[in-house]
Amino acid sequence: MSSPTSPLVLASASPRRSELLRNAGIAFTVQPAHVDERMLAGEAPEEYARRLAREKAQAVSQQRPGETVLGADTIVVVDSEVLEKPRDQADAARMLRLLSGRSHRVITGVCVIKAVSSIEDVRAATTEVWMRDLSEEEIQEYVASGEPMDKAGAYAIQGIASRWIWKIVGCYFNVVGLPVPLVYRMLQERSE
């Protein structure tokens, strides 16, 4: 299996991203990036996700010269509203009500900074997701489970919420938090 010519550093503390990379057989180490994740005024959702992925990769790349760094950021968009991680249980319930019975987009910005040359490759993947109608009781029980609290859009497609997702168009792994086929292609291109 081909892999990058230099060590890969994942600029994320996300256990889901780590698990996806491990499952794909991609060797890496973890060094979380600490950047301001606020959306800029007038920023389009895809540009926001791409910018945060780039800023995370850049922050870690400065500390890890000579290594290839992967930054990523996932957001959920319904209509024109960006749903990030909920602030609290009330915010999680609000998000789930917005997603109930309709489709939304999951966008993950991905940035690979190549070792030594500092060449940046920034891309984004979008997946359309349809969620069935949720009752208020289902929303409250799900929020009480704690699962939505550290997830963009307040749900985990690979967890309890899987029972409500009836259709997706695009990369499933993108919804989990990292579009693995895209990342693998980017890493292969960097190692050529």
Side-chain angles (χ1 to χ4, degrees):
M1 179 182 301
S2 64
S3 60
T5 55
S6 60
L8 177 66
V9 180
L10 175 62
S12 172
S14 166
R16 291 163 298 282
R17 290 190 181 117
S18 290
E19 181 181 14
L20 289 170
L21 287 175
R22 267 194 306 277
N23 289 347
I26 299 171
F28 66 99
T29 59
V30 172
Q31 181 169 335
H34 304 286
V35 300
D36 183 351
E37 297 194 15
R38 288 178 289 196
M39 191 172 190
L40 302 176
E43 194 170 29
E46 183 175 310
E47 286 308 308
Y48 173 48
R50 289 165 48 101
R51 176 180 61 81
L52 285 184
R54 183 175 51 251
E55 288 179 0
K56 289 175 182 181
Q58 287 172 339
V60 171
S61 183
Q62 290 172 2
Q63 300 169 34
R64 305 284 291 259
E67 296 180 80
T68 299
V69 179
L70 169 63
D73 193 76
T74 302
I75 59 172
V76 171
V77 182
V78 61
D79 296 329
S80 58
E81 184 176 351
V82 173
L83 306 180
E84 299 177 87
K85 295 176 184 176
R87 294 181 301 278
D88 53 30
Q89 289 189 338
D91 194 34
R94 177 190 69 82
M95 290 182 188
L96 291 165
R97 287 184 202 104
L98 279 173
L99 298 174
S100 175
R102 57 192 309 204
S103 71
H104 59 276
R105 292 178 296 143
V106 178
I107 303 170
T108 301
V110 178
C111 178
V112 173
I113 297 182
K114 186 176 181 178
V116 185
S117 66
S118 295
I119 295 171
E120 294 179 8
D121 184 359
V122 186
R123 305 183 198 182
T126 300
T127 304
E128 191 87 7
V129 181
W130 282 260
M131 186 178 286
R132 75 162 178 76
D133 286 319
L134 305 179
S135 69
E136 189 60 29
E137 181 180 2
E138 285 174 315
I139 290 171
Q140 293 305 322
E141 285 177 359
Y142 185 53
V143 170
S145 77
E147 186 176 270
M149 299 316 297
D150 68 338
K151 316 289 189 301
Y155 77 93
I157 193 170
Q158 74 280 15
I160 297 168
S162 63
R163 59 189 173 190
W164 302 322
I165 307 302
W166 64 272
K167 179 180 177 182
I168 72 166
V169 174
C171 178
Y172 166 81
F173 303 107
N174 182 46
V175 186
V176 178
L178 194 66
V180 177
L182 173 62
V183 168
Y184 184 66
R185 186 169 67 242
M186 291 168 74
L187 293 173
Q188 282 188 312
E189 290 170 4
R190 299 285 73 74
S191 64
E192 292 174 353

